């Protein structure tokens, strides 16, 4: 399993960015792909995930209404469109993958169990 994030940048508050997570080495359609972030001195936070098989999406309260997750199964890529960015969105953003079935992943705890991770892409939002 290989996950490669891209799209992180320095942006002003109120701006937008689109992150990409390119996946390889597994059957993309069978997996849930999640976006997580970790700010300095804070715990890692799950913010959004998507089922590549049925398109179900999940969002944390902190990003709901501002961020949109989508997948292009033909390209094995998941995107995170981030709008109305705030300084508190500054973090290292990671994508992660977990089989949707036959694993410990559950829609009742959508950010709870991911085994495969990318290296991360930095998002910095200036005030």
């Amino acid at each position: 399993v290989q996950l490669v994030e891209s799209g992180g940048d320095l942006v002003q508050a109120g701006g937008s960015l689109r992150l990409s997570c390119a996946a390889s080495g597994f059957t993309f359609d069978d997996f849930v792909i999640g976006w997580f972030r970790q700010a300095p001195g804070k715990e890692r936070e799950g913010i959004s995930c998507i089922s590549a098989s049925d398109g179900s999406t999940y969002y944390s309260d902190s990003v709901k209404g501002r961020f949109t997750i989508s997948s292009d199964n033909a390209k094995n890529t998941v995107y995170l469109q981030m709008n109305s960015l705030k300084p508190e969105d500054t973090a290292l953003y990671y994508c992660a993958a977990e089989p949707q079935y036959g694993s410990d992943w559950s829609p009742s705890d959508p950010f709870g169990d991911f085994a495969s991770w990318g290296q991360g892409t930095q998002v910095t939002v200036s005030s």
Side-chain angles (χ1 to χ4, degrees):
V1 174
Q2 185 173 15
L3 301 166
V4 179
E5 304 93 336
S6 62
D9 206 344
L10 171 63
V11 63
Q12 288 190 334
S16 298
L17 282 176
R18 189 178 79 158
L19 305 184
S20 299
C21 173
S24 61
F26 60 96
T27 305
F28 187 79
D29 291 5
D30 292 343
F31 276 65
V32 175
I33 309 296
W35 282 101
F36 296 74
R37 66 186 181 186
Q38 188 165 20
K42 294 189 176 181
E43 292 188 355
R44 188 173 62 200
E45 174 191 15
I47 57 173
S48 186
C49 61
I50 186 168
S51 162
S53 65
D54 62 25
S56 298
T57 58
Y58 307 84
Y59 295 95
S60 68
D61 288 342
S62 61
V63 306
K64 195 174 297 182
R66 299 188 299 124
F67 292 8
T68 303
I69 193 170
S70 61
S71 70
D72 184 337
N73 289 27
K75 295 182 178 179
N76 285 6
T77 300
V78 169
Y79 303 99
L80 186 68
Q81 178 66 43
M82 305 188 297
N83 298 330
S84 301
L85 283 162
K86 306 174 182 179
E88 52 263 44
D89 293 318
T90 295
L92 188 60
Y93 283 68
Y94 300 89
C95 67
E98 182 68 10
Q100 182 166 357
Y101 303 107
S103 72
D104 290 333
W105 185 85
S106 168
S108 61
D109 183 19
F111 307 118
D113 188 22
F114 283 79
S116 301
W117 294 82
Q119 294 299 306
T121 186
Q122 179 67 38
V123 173
T124 302
V125 185
S126 63
S127 56

